[in-house]
Amino acid sequence: MLAGRAPPGAAGCRRLLAAALAAGLRPLLCGPPCWAAARRAVGQWPSPGLRIPEAAEAERLVQQLQRVQRARLPLRRFIACPQLARTVQRCLQGGASPSPQPVLLECAPGPGILTRTLLNAGVKVVALESNSAFLPNLQSLENSLDGQLKVIYGDFFRLDPLGTGTVKPPAVCSDKLFETMGVAAVPWRADVPVKIFGILPQRRERNMLWRLLFALYECSSIYRYGRVELNIFVSEKEYKVLTAKPGEVKAYQALTVLWQVGCEIELLHKEPWSSFATNLKSGGLAVPKSRWLPNDHLCLVRLTPQENLFTGGLKPTNSSTFIFMVKQCLAKPKSRLTDRLKSWSLDNSGKLLRELEIPKNAETRNLYPEDYRRLFEALQNSSVFTETWFHDEVLESIRNINL
Amino acid sequence: MSLLRLRAALGGPARLGGIPWSVLRNYSSASAKEKARRSPVCERTELLEVLKARVKQLQAGNGPEVTVNKQELSLLGNDKLQDPLRSEVAPGPTEEPPAPWGREKSLSRPSSWAEKLKKEMYIRQLKVERKLSLAASQPTLENQVNAKPKGKVKAKSKTKKSPKIPKTKVAPAWNQSQAGSRSTYTHGKLRVATGKEGVKAQGPQRVQEEKDNNQQKILQQTIQSNLQCFLFLQQPEEAERFLLLYHSSPSKRRLLDVNAYDIVMRSWARKGRVRRVSRIFSLMESVGMRPSLGSFAAALEGLGRSQASPKAVWRCLQQLKNNGFHVDELFQKCLFEEDEKEMVLRAIRIVQPDYQLPPSPSPQTSKSSLLQDFYSKEKTVSYPKLDFSVQELQKRFQQQLEMELNSTVTIESVESTKPLTTQTLKARKLLGTLRSQWHSSILQALQKSKHSMSKLRVAPGYNTLYPYLCLLPDEEYVAIMMQILNTLSPQGESLAVLARELGSKVYNRYITQQKLRSQQLEKVQAVYEGYIHLLAKDSQPDEYLPREYWEKLVAESGFGPSLNLRDCSWPYMLLMRLGMHLLELLVQAVKVPRNILNPRLEPKLIPVLYHIYSFHSSWQVGLIKPHPIFSQIVSDAAETLLTFNSSAIPMLCPPVPWTSPHFGAYILNDTKLMRFVDGAIQHQLLLEQCPPVNLHPVLDALNLLGNCAWKVNQPVLDIIISIFNDKGNEKLDIPPPVSEAPKPPVAPGNSSTWNKSHKHELLLYKKKTAEMHSLRMDALYKLSIANYVRDKVFWFPHNMDFRGRTYPCPPYFNHLGNDVTRAILLFAEGRPLGPKGLDWLKIHLVNLTGLKKKNALQERLEYANEIMEEILDSADHPLTGRKWWMNTDEPWQALACCMEIAKASRSPDPAAYISHFPVHQDGSCNGLQHYAALGRDLIGAISVNLMPCSVPQDVYSAVAQQVEEFRRKDAEQGVKIARVLQGFVSRKVVKQTVMTVVYGVTRYGGRLQMEKRLKEINEFPEEYLWEASHYLVKQVFNGIKEMFSATRDIQHWLTESAKLIAQSGRTVEWVTPLGLPIVQPYYRSRPTVLNCSMQHLSVKSFNSNQKPDTVKQKNAFPPNFIHSLDSTHMMLTALHCLRQGLTFVSVHDCYWTHALTVDIMNQICRQQFVALHSEKILQDLSEFMLEKYCSPGRENRALWQKKLMEQLSNVPKTGDFNLKEVMDSTYFFS
């Protein structure tokens, strides 16, 4: 405990606060040892031995920020507790092979508790922060280190906005971001080029999941650079959706099928909502309501794109039709698959299903994700499937979901 | 025997119904004589004693009640005893059968004894009902060998099981002690008294009641429309069975009102089955429902038909009197169908042989001060005559009638002139065979589904659609479905839209059938024959208005059916459900061999329509799309026949005058006086409650607008059609055919390999073609209808929206349309130009060009004279000359005007030239004019031309100047965005926002408008768009505030008042100075889910606890109020123009008349504006609202109520503009 304590929260303006933040969290450095360069080459940095502020301190800083900034900030959750940060850090590094670890992009680090933990663990971190008030602190941390941390101003959850006109920060373009990070695109089947960590903003959680999904299937945005590994905290109810089994009422949805086809889904950790700090004035937890599914935790989920996603008939070019087909089928989960196929005039549906060994009376919610993929690939090969009918809707739906 | 029964039914209990409650309450006061005479009374008093004892016991003991003794079981109608309590707290609703748990709410003392009593009462009720319905079903078994009662008994026993714990517990005890010799009616008797008492004590609790009523209204409506179906189908047994389903269950019985029983009675009465009628009567009384006038009408009708004995009739009439009615009322207030009226009269004459129909009430006239001149008989001039003889009009009426009887009209499209290719012929033949196949398969599917439904009917599924599928011949349903199939666009249509269309088509034909069945049509025909004498040139002049004359003729005609139909509208949910059912049939039945265009494929039938979802972020919309094969065949066939509903074609004879909210416009087609969103019933209710005389001015104005005869400007139509058939012209607003669309982007390989940009291009292309298709079709419809009536004279019947703005009913082709449609229309009546007519034509032309807006009329005229050469060239060589007309604001109207000027100026005496051309006079920013007049804003008044000026003022320029002033100051202060905007603030930029500020545009919307305008300026730097538009909209608002200070105050006052009213849970209502009641139909309606096998449909219904939508109520009030004022101004002008013999029509704030009469119209227009605003409009509004929303005489007012009262009484102050100035303002309307 060297540096001065965080000053009392009387700071009147943003600049003052930023200075205070920087002062409060000034890193404690062990002078850069000469062997650092050697370790750097393998992708593992020596621990800079940073002080991790206590949970209460971090929370106070977040609260302070809320008070000082005039505009109402959207609800954000932070990792404030050092234990949680360590757990997350271990999860992120779990199963790390001796081969060089990819860069870790940390979205919205805020007070930087996890950032410091990660840095101490020797991870190379890029911090993408959308709130400029957090920036000075992070930047001074960046300056005090020898390239182990890079701080970028931007909002991961406003990546590649679709509107016309110039991209106004904190919205960012993925190509700019990756250029700044210094990450080049790799082939799909290559190793994970980047790991991303973030907490999905609660209000746009579902929207974000859809957008990421479209990006994944189209190999656009972050997935243009290869099989980017997402490590995200999602609410338990969404986690239940992502990992639902066929036939599970309410949980088994189009989102389920598409994510399970697209990614390997791995639960890394479950943490109660109360472990996270929010930027609410009241300090409340603002746990979203859920009627049908349990929702007591935030779940840290690892989404690794399947290596063989595009090996069959599925291609980034026709994948939007696949997405559309799945959505159509699961728009009414109790309908029969044959009825759905019939209503698209795929007249030999009976034969098709027989070949795929799907029972004739199967309801759309009873099909496994893999079945949907096989169905789609079979349709691609059959001459009768004229996806052109879907075109308007497929295109419409892309446009709509990408909002 | 039948007589005996009737006596029992009509005589006994209902006589008791007349006994005031006070007698019943003080049972001891009931005289011994009476006791002796009527045993039921004795029984009742005994019961009351028992009951009283029981109350005491419960009050005192408060102990747990374990056993139910015999005495308690014989309590009859013990709810009665609670009444004294209740009447102090909250009187029950008027004629509602009181259901125990319904009342629970109003009982403010939930002491346990009261609860127990209630429980007992409930059980008691159940018992009685069961007995009753058993009794009711027995005669059915006796009289006819009929399987139906069995079903009913079954159903009933099921309802008995409905889980209510206390009931099932106590029921056994009940059964043991059944041995009472009670009459089932006694129970009812007491109930009748309840009803009466409710009537007396009505009042303060009305608000709550209204809410409840609204909730039940829809359900009641569904039940009634079901019953009405049975009545229509002449199935009284079914109707009764259905009624009993509800009647026998206490919870469901709540949904029955007198009308439901009346309908069943009527359906028996129509068959002359008096005994059945009387049984329904007794059913009704058994639950304490007070018979309505209609019930007696039905009873008498039955008696009349069966030639009953005088005694029976006498009893019935006695009964009627006991219920507080008078015999004459039957004929004054009831609606009759077929020969019902005669039958009732016959029955009455059995006992009163010299009974005469009561004289119809003398016509009332509106007392509105604004219309004193108009309605005063001294000044009456005869109604303007049409240029037709009685015989000609009669012939036209027959044509129109024939068209409406066919319900659809098939006309040649204007595209028919194209040469036919062999491919086209082949495709047409193919389509023909396919259609006949589809026709038979749809018919089959329909019959199959009806068959399976008819089997299901026995089960207690009350919601069956079966009766609705029997109303019309099967062929008609098929025709309706085929029509939908034929008009489906290749892009598809949403399920909800299609379902609604199908449902309402069936409904409309049902209404037509009903008009035929009830012989209403014959009567309309007869009355119309007399009515046209008012309009025809060769008959006596009559000093009547159309409505008055019609009413007079109806009154004179005496017998026959009423012209107003009994209300039989279907609830919106029902309409949708029926529509969905038909749609499902359609999707299932229509198939096409898939190899029809590609013979190499194996033949197999595939559906023509497919169901697909379209996703919009979080919600999904179901669509029905036609298969591309189908679209291909249709487009290949290029059919040239178009089928419309007969209501889409202008009327071929003068419309039937509006005489009530239910009657007017078309002969058969159902038309609403007031248009409203689907499912909203508030407007109709409000109109019904409104005294008829208050509506007279509005009805007369609508009749006047509808009576204007039109014809087609054939030369202009020909030119337009020639361009339309020759690739169209976007600049001239003639949409080109889809074939003229830019080619789709060519992409390599098959569609699956396209990349994103290709797909995006394709999307744009598809959007463009879809847009072009709909524009093209719209123009095609308009032109084809115009072409169809090109040689005819025609009329546009009018109705109005909820603010009183008037609209022509035919949807496609009417004078409210765009430049193209307006250019095609001429007044059928011609008038000489007169001395100034030609000048007015020229000024009108210059107005249409959009040039010289800031110049005086004289300058405009001079300009027209200057360019006379261009005008004549345009008229003579529209497509080959210098085409001056093409570069004007409204090219087609300008062209038509050029031609008229050319003809007039070349005639030997232009002043005598007979012109049919309408000349327009536009209000300059009419909304602001009304605001400025309301607030007497001087500066504002000047800028919107309320003050006489030598040149027209332009409010947009004035605001733009003001904004520029603000900007300059800010720029000097160093505001960056103000500097960026230098040179960009113009009239054009601010115009739209200024125009819409009046109509309540918000800053948000205003900014979007600004952004659009700024985007149009190429030089404007794009990065500043947001900031600049934000800044500008703020300054425009400030500018307006500066110029129209009182206006903003008024707007604010209106908004705040509406907010407080809505927050208090009520909707904003007001009455226009002409007496039209208005209610804002904005509710926070929860969508109801309609479960259909194809898809669950979320339907916005207006039944569930309608809380007003505060935001909408608040934001919409100022514009709606102003619209109600501008519509009032228009109607006043219209009515007074009529008195001066002018031809007058309007497009909201644009008034049309002949060139000869422009000056007179302008004068009337100004006069009426002054007259309107000389009324204390805001004070009147304030008073009306205070009375409505702050009920006086209640001491303990809540805080919000005080606040509301303060707000409402605090009418904003006005400026010092002298309203009289308007009289001399040339440019007020110009």
Side-chain angles (χ1 to χ4, degrees), chain B residues 86-88 90-92 194-206 209:
Chain B
R86 201 182 301 130
S87 60
E88 280 165 27
T194 320
K196 282 219 100 178
E197 212 235 351
V199 177
K200 270 189 240 156
Q202 202 184 28
Q205 286 288 308
R206 249 181 54 210
E209 267 170 47

Side-chain angles (χ1 to χ4, degrees), chain B residues 832-1005:
Chain B
L833 282 179
K836 282 183 71 187
L838 185 56
D839 289 351
W840 269 118
L841 281 179
K842 287 175 180 169
I843 293 169
H844 179 55
L845 175 66
V846 177
N847 287 349
L848 288 171
T849 61
L851 308 163
K852 308 284 165 195
K853 271 185 190 155
K854 290 176 195 163
N855 297 67
L857 289 183
Q858 189 56 38
E859 288 167 318
R860 294 185 207 179
L861 179 61
E862 278 159 18
Y863 176 71
N865 285 331
E866 265 169 48
I867 56 162
M868 207 49 197
E869 218 174 296
E870 298 284 353
I871 296 173
L872 293 179
D873 174 73
S874 292
D876 296 339
H877 315 286
L879 297 178
T880 51
R882 294 196 290 270
K883 304 175 187 172
W884 169 82
W885 61 277
M886 288 192 188
N887 294 311
T888 55
D889 272 7
E890 315 259 356
W892 290 106
Q893 290 177 79
L895 175 64
C897 196
C898 285
M899 289 173 160
E900 188 72 3
I901 292 173
K903 272 189 266 175
S905 61
R906 282 165 184 161
S907 76
D909 176 14
Y913 172 79
I914 303 290
S915 168
H916 296 263
F917 201 80
V919 174
H920 311 171
Q921 296 285 286
D922 262 312
S924 58
C925 205
N926 192 242
L928 271 177
Q929 286 182 329
H930 282 283
Y931 266 129
L934 271 181
R936 305 286 199 274
D937 260 323
L938 189 59
I939 308 175
I942 295 171
S943 69
V944 290
N945 293 307
L946 296 187
M947 277 285 260
C949 272
S950 55
V951 287
Q953 299 299 304
D954 178 39
V955 65
Y956 310 119
S957 305
V959 175
Q961 267 170 23
Q962 185 75 51
V963 172
E964 173 62 17
E965 184 71 13
F966 290 142
R967 188 205 62 77
R968 204 175 44 74
K969 275 186 195 151
D970 280 347
E972 278 166 17
Q973 300 268 311
V975 177
K976 192 177 164 211
I977 194 65
R979 288 194 182 155
V980 172
L981 273 166
Q982 171 142 28
F984 289 111
V985 179
S986 64
R987 178 183 188 274
K988 202 180 161 196
V989 170
V990 301
K991 182 176 173 181
Q992 198 189 6
T993 311
V994 174
M995 203 188 294
T996 44
V997 149
V998 199
Y999 301 124
V1001 78
T1002 55
R1003 286 219 171 161
Y1004 179 82

Side-chain angles (χ1 to χ4, degrees), chain B residues 939-1073:
Chain B
I939 308 175
I942 295 171
S943 69
V944 290
N945 293 307
L946 296 187
M947 277 285 260
C949 272
S950 55
V951 287
Q953 299 299 304
D954 178 39
V955 65
Y956 310 119
S957 305
V959 175
Q961 267 170 23
Q962 185 75 51
V963 172
E964 173 62 17
E965 184 71 13
F966 290 142
R967 188 205 62 77
R968 204 175 44 74
K969 275 186 195 151
D970 280 347
E972 278 166 17
Q973 300 268 311
V975 177
K976 192 177 164 211
I977 194 65
R979 288 194 182 155
V980 172
L981 273 166
Q982 171 142 28
F984 289 111
V985 179
S986 64
R987 178 183 188 274
K988 202 180 161 196
V989 170
V990 301
K991 182 176 173 181
Q992 198 189 6
T993 311
V994 174
M995 203 188 294
T996 44
V997 149
V998 199
Y999 301 124
V1001 78
T1002 55
R1003 286 219 171 161
Y1004 179 82
R1007 196 196 67 73
L1008 290 178
Q1009 291 170 349
M1010 288 288 178
E1011 194 178 74
K1012 232 185 209 166
R1013 294 289 89 74
L1014 287 175
K1015 251 187 202 165
E1016 284 164 9
I1017 307 173
N1018 287 332
E1019 303 90 67
F1020 192 80
E1022 206 176 322
E1023 63 267 29
Y1024 290 111
L1025 269 181
W1026 192 89
E1027 219 174 327
S1029 53
H1030 189 73
Y1031 173 81
L1032 272 183
V1033 77
K1034 199 169 85 194
Q1035 298 308 341
V1036 167
F1037 275 57
N1038 285 342
I1040 291 175
K1041 212 173 194 169
E1042 193 97 332
M1043 293 167 63
F1044 295 82
S1045 51
T1047 295
R1048 294 303 283 185
D1049 287 348
I1050 293 172
Q1051 222 170 0
H1052 187 250
W1053 181 70
L1054 293 174
T1055 314
E1056 277 303 301
S1057 306
K1059 190 176 106 192
L1060 289 175
I1061 291 170
Q1063 279 171 350
S1064 79
R1066 330 236 350 223
T1067 47
V1068 179
E1069 282 180 41
W1070 70 100
V1071 173
T1072 72

Side-chain angles (χ1 to χ4, degrees), chain A residues 317 328 332 343 347 393 400, chain B residues 594 610 613 625 759 1093:
Chain A
T317 44
Q328 282 293 327
K332 205 183 162 194
S343 83
D347 56 336
E393 277 81 18
N400 285 323
Chain B
R594 67 175 179 142
Y610 60 102
Y613 289 96
K625 280 197 149 206
K759 282 182 178 168
S1093 68

Side-chain angles (χ1 to χ4, degrees), chain B residues 700-719:
Chain B
D700 287 333
L702 285 173
N703 291 337
L704 169 71
L705 296 171
N707 271 346
C708 174
W710 297 89
K711 66 176 192 174
V712 163
N713 190 342
Q714 297 192 18
V716 176
L717 178 64
D718 288 335
I719 296 171

